Amino acid sequence: MAYGKKVWIFPDADMPPEGANLIPGHESVIITNVGEQKATVKITLLYTDKDPVSFTTQVDAMRVRCLRTNNKDDFGEYTAKVDEQYAIMLESDVPVVAQYGRAEPRAVNFYINTGYWE
């Protein structure tokens, strides 16, 4: 049985700022390849105010790869900037499963600063 699909789009990417008590915000794209051959994945970043940029990565067969958008080892020269709105499109040559995740410290700021938890 084949799992996944070849195209994934995450329309709401946004690198969050540092939160309360210096809690770092981050976002990542996780790609899982449960197939029998290596996946070559083209990642295209679409912005509100500039031209799209693309790069490729690979995920070995029966492996998972986590790409942090603010890590140059993962996103190269296209690392995410704080508060920059963009979208992420993945195009793979074989079906993969993908997920976008964001650690959002701004909500922590709200609860700490408003005394909501007291």
Side-chain angles (χ1 to χ4, degrees):
M1 174 183 282
Y3 294 96
K5 54 187 182 174
K6 292 185 176 184
V7 177
W8 294 82
I9 299 174
F10 304 104
D12 184 26
D14 176 13
M15 180 66 182
E18 188 174 88
N21 299 320
L22 304 178
I23 297 172
H26 78 269
E27 55 181 1
S28 58
V29 176
I30 302 94
I31 305 168
T32 305
N33 178 5
V34 296
E36 296 180 7
Q37 67 184 49
K38 183 183 293 188
T40 298
V41 181
K42 177 181 175 185
I43 299 174
T44 301
L45 308 177
L46 305 160
Y47 300 95
T48 57
D49 59 353
K50 59 185 176 181
D51 292 336
V53 295
S54 299
F55 60 96
T56 60
T57 191
Q58 295 187 331
V59 183
D60 288 334
M62 299 303 292
R63 297 288 186 265
V64 63
R65 178 110 193 258
C66 180
L67 304 168
R68 295 281 292 264
T69 65
N70 64 336
N71 185 329
K72 284 194 176 224
D73 290 338
D74 296 333
F75 266 58
E77 64 185 282
Y78 307 117
T79 58
K81 295 173 183 50
V82 172
D83 288 331
E84 180 174 52
Q85 182 67 46
Y86 65 104
I88 301 170
M89 180 170 61
L90 308 177
E91 298 172 278
S92 179
D93 61 344
V94 298
V96 296
V97 175
Q99 173 181 318
Y100 168 83
R102 177 172 36 219
E104 179 58 80
R106 288 177 279 206
V108 172
N109 280 336
F110 170 78
Y111 293 122
I112 290 172
N113 292 336
T114 61
Y116 182 82
W117 293 110
E118 297 178 355

